[in-house]
Amino acid sequence: VLRTVSGLDAIASIWNVMPVAFEKSAKAAAKFTPSPPTHCVWIEIFLPLNGLAARYQVIGEFDKAVEAAREALMLRPDNYMPYANLASSYESLNRLEEAKQICAKALGAQRDSLHTHDVSFEIAYLENDQATMQREMASAKGTNREANIVFLQGLVLASAGRLRLARPIFEHSYAKRRE
């Protein structure tokens, strides 16, 4: 017998299935936890919604991920996580203009992250926008984003069949991640 699952039931079921992932997300986000009275909104609604968006991405339910990420963004426009989830979901749906707008909005609100910059680089690659790719690589230099952008650079070379050039790029990315 199939039953209709409400949004909160879905959140609860995913919370039960993915406790390790949510625990890691909650620990990573703990430093951003606001003081009361919005603390309950943060723990009870925002984190599960944002986590739900991420889980929907993992299982390929990108339309549902967009919906959950939008709701999370409405609740907490001051947090970087829903921007990243929303941009990535739009990218996965090939809604590149909307993904770029979310990345730009995150940057303008100073809520950009490694993930929004990755999405920006990936879209630039898809659109053959060398200027944006170069800008993303330059802005990542010397930051915590550098290993990711270098890895994406390696993927660009590998996808063009330039495997001999890609290998040292991947090795450099790996070395950066270990630093």
Side-chain angles (χ1 to χ4, degrees), residues 85-97:
N85 280 329
L86 189 54
S88 180
S89 297
Y90 280 142
E91 179 188 23
S92 296
L93 289 167
N94 202 29
R95 292 164 60 178
L96 303 183
E97 285 305 315

Side-chain angles (χ1 to χ4, degrees), residues 58-149:
V58 168
I59 63 171
E61 294 282 349
F62 302 114
D63 288 318
K64 291 178 181 178
V66 164
E67 183 182 327
R70 273 192 199 145
E71 288 184 42
L73 186 58
M74 284 189 296
L75 285 171
R76 293 301 308 268
D78 60 328
N79 189 282
Y80 74 93
M81 292 186 289
Y83 290 100
N85 280 329
L86 189 54
S88 180
S89 297
Y90 280 142
E91 179 188 23
S92 296
L93 289 167
N94 202 29
R95 292 164 60 178
L96 303 183
E97 285 305 315
E98 290 163 289
K100 287 193 292 190
Q101 289 172 4
I102 293 299
C103 290
K105 186 175 178 180
L107 185 60
Q110 295 181 331
R111 296 297 179 256
D112 54 314
S113 67
L114 175 134
H115 306 293
T116 52
H117 285 281
D118 285 357
V119 168
S120 182
F121 181 92
E122 291 162 0
I123 292 170
Y125 167 70
L126 292 171
E127 295 180 338
N128 199 26
D129 179 355
Q130 296 296 319
T132 299
M133 290 170 65
Q134 292 298 323
R135 187 170 49 252
E136 288 295 345
M137 286 187 289
S139 73
K141 191 94 172 136
T143 71
N144 65 338
R145 297 184 295 113
E146 186 173 3
N148 269 36
I149 292 293

Side-chain angles (χ1 to χ4, degrees), residues 21-80:
F22 277 100
E23 182 182 0
K24 288 180 181 176
S25 296
K27 285 179 182 175
K31 64 181 176 181
F32 300 107
T33 303
S35 58
T38 59
H39 182 74
C40 290
V41 170
W42 173 262
I43 296 298
E44 294 176 11
I45 301 171
F46 171 75
L47 279 178
L49 266 177
N50 196 67
L52 185 61
R55 296 305 132 227
Y56 276 140
Q57 287 178 29
V58 168
I59 63 171
E61 294 282 349
F62 302 114
D63 288 318
K64 291 178 181 178
V66 164
E67 183 182 327
R70 273 192 199 145
E71 288 184 42
L73 186 58
M74 284 189 296
L75 285 171
R76 293 301 308 268
D78 60 328
N79 189 282
Y80 74 93

